[in-house]
Amino acid sequence: MKKLINDPKNVVDEAVVGFEAAHGDLVTVSHDPIYIARKDAPVAGKVGLVSGGGSGHEPLHGGFVGFGMLDAAVPGPVFTSPTPDPILAATKAVDAGKGVLHIVKNYTGDVLNFETAADLASAEDIEVRTVIVDDDVAVKDSLYTAGRRGVAGTVLVEKIAGAAAERGDDLDAVAAVATKVNAQVRTMGVALTPCVVPHAGEPSFVLADDEIEIGIGIHGEPGRERIKLEPADAIVDRLLGPILEDLPFGSGDEVLLLVNGMGGTPQVELYIVFKHAAEVLAEKGITVTRSLVGNFVTSLEMQGVSISVLKLDEELTGLWDAPVQTAALRWGR
């Protein structure tokens, strides 16, 4: 194992210090308990947005803290949920009296710990709503999940709900927008290689040199099937088919297409994936009106990709286009 770390036990602590040093114009960082907050939080008159989960998926979630997106992110240990205490502290830090929305990926630890933090916040008269993200169509129930997993669609939920909060929507309305995005986005991924969790020091699973895992989770959870490596276009077909059938998507739809790298995939390969995905959608009469390509929800150094398709309407398109200024996404400001 080769990693740019000092001590496996200090990976998250040191990374958060580095993140603060790099992006101090956008965020402030609490180190005990650990959370990352928007520099100007709490923002008067605005619903607060808090998300979080295990580290190792960067830039999710800390990279999406800032204007037009999250007000705070709570990083846990690598691939391990944060405890309720830092989630509560982050919730209190961003509460401006208009309530706080928790955006939670559907993993058992995340769901339970955010639920506990919401109960504790409620006891302190902070109104909290929770939206669970479960956009992965690959499997239902897995190592860490009851039901479908929350994966790359989380970024789209955070961006669009963040824009709704920024324009002044109340808590119920922001939660409704987040729920709508989750209901209209579907994702599926593939792994070409495993990743190595720093404190484990060995791959999270084993793939032969000529094997890939279709439907992989962002922690290396098993997918639908393990097959021999195929050309990129054939792999895209395997991912897009279940995505399009699930909502279902159909001719006349306008969509946002997200091609998300898992951490170790070169950008040039992501654009090869995007090319064929866009061609397949066009053949089916589905128009890609918005797009995003890059590493946004990763699995350490895993080589692989996920494809997300979000069905758009005028409201969601406008909220996607609204200004955002975070470490990992910024436009219009």
Side-chain angles (χ1 to χ4, degrees), residues 228-249:
K228 298 296 184 182
L229 178 65
E230 297 177 334
D233 287 1
I235 294 172
V236 170
D237 290 339
R238 287 183 180 271
L239 300 180
L240 262 185
I243 288 171
L244 298 180
E245 292 166 4
D246 194 85
L247 191 61
F249 296 87

Side-chain angles (χ1 to χ4, degrees), residues 71-286:
D71 292 272
V74 188
V78 174
F79 289 2
T80 303
S81 174
T83 61
D85 287 348
I87 300 170
L88 174 62
T91 301
K92 292 166 67 174
V94 305
D95 176 46
K98 298 295 183 179
V100 176
L101 178 67
H102 286 173
I103 298 174
V104 185
K105 301 188 303 302
N106 190 32
Y107 297 96
T108 302
D110 290 359
V111 172
L112 290 175
N113 289 338
F114 269 87
E115 182 179 7
T116 300
D119 289 342
L120 294 170
S122 178
E124 298 190 33
D125 296 323
I126 299 173
E127 189 176 9
V128 176
R129 296 277 190 281
T130 300
V131 171
I132 306 294
V133 182
D134 57 355
D135 55 308
D136 188 2
V137 304
V139 296
K140 181 179 180 181
D141 302 329
S142 68
L143 293 178
Y144 306 103
T145 314
R148 291 180 165 183
R149 305 175 293 211
V151 287
T154 308
V155 176
L156 310 184
V157 176
E158 291 177 353
K159 166 63 184 82
I160 291 173
E166 204 67 59
R167 74 181 179 186
D169 288 13
D170 64 21
L171 182 58
D172 287 339
V174 175
V177 165
T179 300
K180 179 179 178 180
V181 176
N182 182 63
Q184 295 185 189
V185 63
R186 298 293 186 272
T187 301
M188 191 163 166
V190 60
L192 280 62
T193 66
C195 60
V196 177
V197 177
H199 60 263
E202 58 186 29
S204 53
F205 58 97
V206 177
L207 279 175
D209 288 344
D210 62 346
E211 286 183 327
I212 61 175
E213 182 90 20
I214 300 290
I216 196 73
I218 59 174
H219 308 95
E221 307 98 312
R224 286 190 172 191
E225 58 181 333
R226 187 168 292 189
I227 64 170
K228 298 296 184 182
L229 178 65
E230 297 177 334
D233 287 1
I235 294 172
V236 170
D237 290 339
R238 287 183 180 271
L239 300 180
L240 262 185
I243 288 171
L244 298 180
E245 292 166 4
D246 194 85
L247 191 61
F249 296 87
S251 180
D253 286 347
E254 295 186 348
V255 302
L256 185 156
L257 174 59
L258 164 60
V259 171
N260 172 68
M262 301 299 285
T265 306
Q267 195 92 355
V268 65
E269 296 178 22
L270 299 181
Y271 280 108
I272 292 172
V273 169
F274 188 94
K275 167 187 171 293
H276 186 61
E279 290 169 349
V280 171
L281 293 172
E283 289 169 1
K284 295 181 179 297
I286 300 169

